[in-house]
Amino acid sequence: MSESQQLWAHATPGSVVKLHVVSLSGGKDSTATALMAIELHGREACRFVFADTGNEHEATYAYALEYLPQALDITVDVVKADFSEEFATKRANLARIAAGEPESAVYGKRKFQYAWTPTAAAHALGLLHPTGNPFLDLCMLKGGFPSRRRQFCTEHLKRNPLTEFQLGLVEMGHQVESWQGVRADESEARRWLPQYELLGGGMAIYRPILRWNVGDVFEAHRAAGILPNPLYRQGMSRVGCMPCINCGKAELTAIARRFPEHIERIGEWERLVQSVCRPESPATFFHSQKNGAAGVTAAVQWARTSRGGRQFSLLTDLDEPTACSSAYGLCE
Ligand code: SF4
């Protein structure tokens, strides 16, 4: 009996149907994971789900939602974060400040000064409406973009909607084994992950390709006759968001050259997010340590300098590419 079978045998009644749920990102690792799930358990025992961040490349949507379903004869469910309630709460708070609520409040022995002036709150209130794009809506609510040090995007845009999807399956009476396409050699955070984790409540995590290397992953595609996401042939080392906040110089340069429309879109998002965040909090996709040459346009220029170039050295968040620091394996 395998490790996972032993764990489940102790945890669950025999009649419950176990589902192997693969979170597809459109990247090579999750595709290899899906191939293994189908090979070992068959399509009927598997579910495939894609978390739409709203910041994906069109080729990734086409690959995950059209090519893979057709090539693998599977259905891919799509989950998408919805922040309508959070918008309503934030708008109500801004409305109170705009209406002239006292500019400070006392809680216990401490006095808090509101960061918003009534004028700034009224201005933001006029612009703060959900767009339906999860990534943009999240940044508008947070008053800024995620960064390597504050990577809230994975949690809100991928982990939470995917967990909700899996809990829904548990409520329907299934055991859920969440298949994560992570490799130990991707990052320090992933190096010491266990291959199998029983979470309780009818849920477990399985990481079938934890000890694979990148060559094994592409070999799995070749052996199954499945093409990798075409973005890998176009200079992309990762195909998560376009761009991902974790991308490095070479990748950002390739994105700017091949897909300038995505850089322009991020520039528009920066203007929109800036317009609804506190005036003293500059909102830029790539952060800087000081209020200077930050933002996606400056980052693209910096990425074209050689390593160590002084001109944009303030952009310390954007250095050589790293794997996503998340241990969930939801972002490539
Ligand atoms: S870590 Fe990168 S790929 Fe993942 S949600 Fe954030 S920006 Fe997107």
PDB file of all heavy atoms in Angstrom, residues 8 166 176 178 180 196-205 207:
ATOM      1  N   TRP A   8      -5.063   7.820   3.444  1.00  0.00           N
ATOM      2  CA  TRP A   8      -6.499   7.898   3.193  1.00  0.00           C
ATOM      3  C   TRP A   8      -7.248   6.790   3.909  1.00  0.00           C
ATOM      4  O   TRP A   8      -8.366   6.971   4.369  1.00  0.00           O
ATOM      5  CB  TRP A   8      -6.780   7.808   1.690  1.00  0.00           C
ATOM      6  CG  TRP A   8      -6.573   9.100   0.967  1.00  0.00           C
ATOM      7  CD1 TRP A   8      -5.627   9.368   0.037  1.00  0.00           C
ATOM      8  CD2 TRP A   8      -7.329  10.301   1.120  1.00  0.00           C
ATOM      9  NE1 TRP A   8      -5.746  10.664  -0.409  1.00  0.00           N
ATOM     10  CE2 TRP A   8      -6.782  11.257   0.242  1.00  0.00           C
ATOM     11  CE3 TRP A   8      -8.413  10.671   1.915  1.00  0.00           C
ATOM     12  CZ2 TRP A   8      -7.271  12.542   0.132  1.00  0.00           C
ATOM     13  CZ3 TRP A   8      -8.905  11.959   1.804  1.00  0.00           C
ATOM     14  CH2 TRP A   8      -8.332  12.872   0.919  1.00  0.00           C
ATOM     15  N   GLN A 166     -12.359  23.291  -4.563  1.00  0.00           N
ATOM     16  CA  GLN A 166     -12.138  21.962  -3.998  1.00  0.00           C
ATOM     17  C   GLN A 166     -13.056  21.705  -2.805  1.00  0.00           C
ATOM     18  O   GLN A 166     -13.564  20.592  -2.627  1.00  0.00           O
ATOM     19  CB  GLN A 166     -10.665  21.815  -3.610  1.00  0.00           C
ATOM     20  CG  GLN A 166      -9.769  21.823  -4.849  1.00  0.00           C
ATOM     21  CD  GLN A 166      -8.295  21.853  -4.525  1.00  0.00           C
ATOM     22  OE1 GLN A 166      -7.908  21.889  -3.365  1.00  0.00           O
ATOM     23  NE2 GLN A 166      -7.466  21.840  -5.548  1.00  0.00           N
ATOM     24  N   VAL A 176     -10.946  14.876  -1.878  1.00  0.00           N
ATOM     25  CA  VAL A 176     -10.216  15.639  -2.895  1.00  0.00           C
ATOM     26  C   VAL A 176      -8.721  15.505  -2.666  1.00  0.00           C
ATOM     27  O   VAL A 176      -8.214  15.822  -1.591  1.00  0.00           O
ATOM     28  CB  VAL A 176     -10.628  17.126  -2.870  1.00  0.00           C
ATOM     29  CG1 VAL A 176      -9.686  17.957  -3.736  1.00  0.00           C
ATOM     30  CG2 VAL A 176     -12.059  17.282  -3.365  1.00  0.00           C
ATOM     31  N   SER A 178      -5.541  17.117  -4.102  1.00  0.00           N
ATOM     32  CA  SER A 178      -5.123  18.243  -4.941  1.00  0.00           C
ATOM     33  C   SER A 178      -3.729  17.963  -5.496  1.00  0.00           C
ATOM     34  O   SER A 178      -2.755  17.863  -4.759  1.00  0.00           O
ATOM     35  CB  SER A 178      -5.099  19.517  -4.082  1.00  0.00           C
ATOM     36  OG  SER A 178      -4.604  20.591  -4.829  1.00  0.00           O
ATOM     37  N   GLN A 180      -0.492  19.061  -7.201  1.00  0.00           N
ATOM     38  CA  GLN A 180       0.252  20.298  -7.431  1.00  0.00           C
ATOM     39  C   GLN A 180       1.497  20.028  -8.268  1.00  0.00           C
ATOM     40  O   GLN A 180       2.317  19.181  -7.912  1.00  0.00           O
ATOM     41  CB  GLN A 180       0.654  20.939  -6.097  1.00  0.00           C
ATOM     42  CG  GLN A 180      -0.548  21.365  -5.257  1.00  0.00           C
ATOM     43  CD  GLN A 180      -0.132  22.057  -3.980  1.00  0.00           C
ATOM     44  OE1 GLN A 180       1.044  22.089  -3.620  1.00  0.00           O
ATOM     45  NE2 GLN A 180      -1.108  22.610  -3.276  1.00  0.00           N
ATOM     46  N   TYR A 196       3.478  14.148  -0.112  1.00  0.00           N
ATOM     47  CA  TYR A 196       2.070  13.910   0.205  1.00  0.00           C
ATOM     48  C   TYR A 196       1.710  14.554   1.539  1.00  0.00           C
ATOM     49  O   TYR A 196       2.480  14.464   2.500  1.00  0.00           O
ATOM     50  CB  TYR A 196       1.783  12.399   0.287  1.00  0.00           C
ATOM     51  CG  TYR A 196       0.345  12.095   0.019  1.00  0.00           C
ATOM     52  CD1 TYR A 196      -0.089  11.844  -1.278  1.00  0.00           C
ATOM     53  CD2 TYR A 196      -0.598  12.116   1.035  1.00  0.00           C
ATOM     54  CE1 TYR A 196      -1.425  11.600  -1.549  1.00  0.00           C
ATOM     55  CE2 TYR A 196      -1.927  11.875   0.778  1.00  0.00           C
ATOM     56  CZ  TYR A 196      -2.334  11.619  -0.518  1.00  0.00           C
ATOM     57  OH  TYR A 196      -3.652  11.391  -0.783  1.00  0.00           O
ATOM     58  N   GLU A 197       0.584  15.233   1.585  1.00  0.00           N
ATOM     59  CA  GLU A 197       0.120  15.858   2.827  1.00  0.00           C
ATOM     60  C   GLU A 197      -1.359  15.589   2.991  1.00  0.00           C
ATOM     61  O   GLU A 197      -2.148  15.915   2.096  1.00  0.00           O
ATOM     62  CB  GLU A 197       0.297  17.390   2.759  1.00  0.00           C
ATOM     63  CG  GLU A 197       1.655  17.892   3.112  1.00  0.00           C
ATOM     64  CD  GLU A 197       1.681  19.419   3.077  1.00  0.00           C
ATOM     65  OE1 GLU A 197       1.214  20.045   4.047  1.00  0.00           O
ATOM     66  OE2 GLU A 197       2.141  19.964   2.069  1.00  0.00           O
ATOM     67  N   LEU A 198      -1.729  15.025   4.111  1.00  0.00           N
ATOM     68  CA  LEU A 198      -3.147  14.845   4.408  1.00  0.00           C
ATOM     69  C   LEU A 198      -3.611  16.064   5.188  1.00  0.00           C
ATOM     70  O   LEU A 198      -3.092  16.357   6.267  1.00  0.00           O
ATOM     71  CB  LEU A 198      -3.338  13.576   5.244  1.00  0.00           C
ATOM     72  CG  LEU A 198      -4.776  13.129   5.437  1.00  0.00           C
ATOM     73  CD1 LEU A 198      -5.425  12.777   4.104  1.00  0.00           C
ATOM     74  CD2 LEU A 198      -4.826  11.940   6.383  1.00  0.00           C
ATOM     75  N   LEU A 199      -4.565  16.807   4.638  1.00  0.00           N
ATOM     76  CA  LEU A 199      -4.990  18.052   5.273  1.00  0.00           C
ATOM     77  C   LEU A 199      -6.127  17.841   6.261  1.00  0.00           C
ATOM     78  O   LEU A 199      -6.383  18.680   7.110  1.00  0.00           O
ATOM     79  CB  LEU A 199      -5.439  19.053   4.209  1.00  0.00           C
ATOM     80  CG  LEU A 199      -4.393  19.432   3.149  1.00  0.00           C
ATOM     81  CD1 LEU A 199      -4.980  20.422   2.158  1.00  0.00           C
ATOM     82  CD2 LEU A 199      -3.140  20.007   3.791  1.00  0.00           C
ATOM     83  N   GLY A 200      -6.835  16.740   6.121  1.00  0.00           N
ATOM     84  CA  GLY A 200      -8.029  16.526   6.940  1.00  0.00           C
ATOM     85  C   GLY A 200      -9.246  17.105   6.239  1.00  0.00           C
ATOM     86  O   GLY A 200      -9.128  17.805   5.220  1.00  0.00           O
ATOM     87  N   GLY A 201     -10.412  16.786   6.768  1.00  0.00           N
ATOM     88  CA  GLY A 201     -11.646  17.297   6.169  1.00  0.00           C
ATOM     89  C   GLY A 201     -11.871  16.796   4.759  1.00  0.00           C
ATOM     90  O   GLY A 201     -12.534  17.451   3.941  1.00  0.00           O
ATOM     91  N   GLY A 202     -11.309  15.654   4.431  1.00  0.00           N
ATOM     92  CA  GLY A 202     -11.531  15.089   3.100  1.00  0.00           C
ATOM     93  C   GLY A 202     -10.591  15.614   2.047  1.00  0.00           C
ATOM     94  O   GLY A 202     -10.813  15.416   0.849  1.00  0.00           O
ATOM     95  N   MET A 203      -9.529  16.326   2.457  1.00  0.00           N
ATOM     96  CA  MET A 203      -8.618  16.910   1.467  1.00  0.00           C
ATOM     97  C   MET A 203      -7.173  16.493   1.717  1.00  0.00           C
ATOM     98  O   MET A 203      -6.746  16.329   2.861  1.00  0.00           O
ATOM     99  CB  MET A 203      -8.721  18.435   1.497  1.00  0.00           C
ATOM    100  CG  MET A 203     -10.095  18.931   1.064  1.00  0.00           C
ATOM    101  SD  MET A 203     -10.198  20.725   1.016  1.00  0.00           S
ATOM    102  CE  MET A 203      -9.136  21.095  -0.357  1.00  0.00           C
ATOM    103  N   ALA A 204      -6.433  16.357   0.630  1.00  0.00           N
ATOM    104  CA  ALA A 204      -5.004  16.038   0.705  1.00  0.00           C
ATOM    105  C   ALA A 204      -4.293  16.710  -0.469  1.00  0.00           C
ATOM    106  O   ALA A 204      -4.934  17.145  -1.427  1.00  0.00           O
ATOM    107  CB  ALA A 204      -4.791  14.529   0.649  1.00  0.00           C
ATOM    108  N   ILE A 205      -2.980  16.804  -0.348  1.00  0.00           N
ATOM    109  CA  ILE A 205      -2.171  17.386  -1.427  1.00  0.00           C
ATOM    110  C   ILE A 205      -1.192  16.327  -1.914  1.00  0.00           C
ATOM    111  O   ILE A 205      -0.549  15.646  -1.103  1.00  0.00           O
ATOM    112  CB  ILE A 205      -1.372  18.611  -0.918  1.00  0.00           C
ATOM    113  CG1 ILE A 205      -2.311  19.741  -0.510  1.00  0.00           C
ATOM    114  CG2 ILE A 205      -0.395  19.100  -1.999  1.00  0.00           C
ATOM    115  CD1 ILE A 205      -1.594  20.908   0.166  1.00  0.00           C
ATOM    116  N   ARG A 207       2.086  15.887  -4.698  1.00  0.00           N
ATOM    117  CA  ARG A 207       3.017  16.593  -5.587  1.00  0.00           C
ATOM    118  C   ARG A 207       3.791  15.546  -6.389  1.00  0.00           C
ATOM    119  O   ARG A 207       4.911  15.177  -6.025  1.00  0.00           O
ATOM    120  CB  ARG A 207       3.954  17.478  -4.767  1.00  0.00           C
ATOM    121  CG  ARG A 207       3.205  18.468  -3.876  1.00  0.00           C
ATOM    122  CD  ARG A 207       4.132  19.383  -3.081  1.00  0.00           C
ATOM    123  NE  ARG A 207       3.365  20.347  -2.309  1.00  0.00           N
ATOM    124  CZ  ARG A 207       3.036  20.194  -1.016  1.00  0.00           C
ATOM    125  NH1 ARG A 207       3.429  19.127  -0.343  1.00  0.00           N
ATOM    126  NH2 ARG A 207       2.318  21.123  -0.405  1.00  0.00           N
TER     127      ARG A 207
END
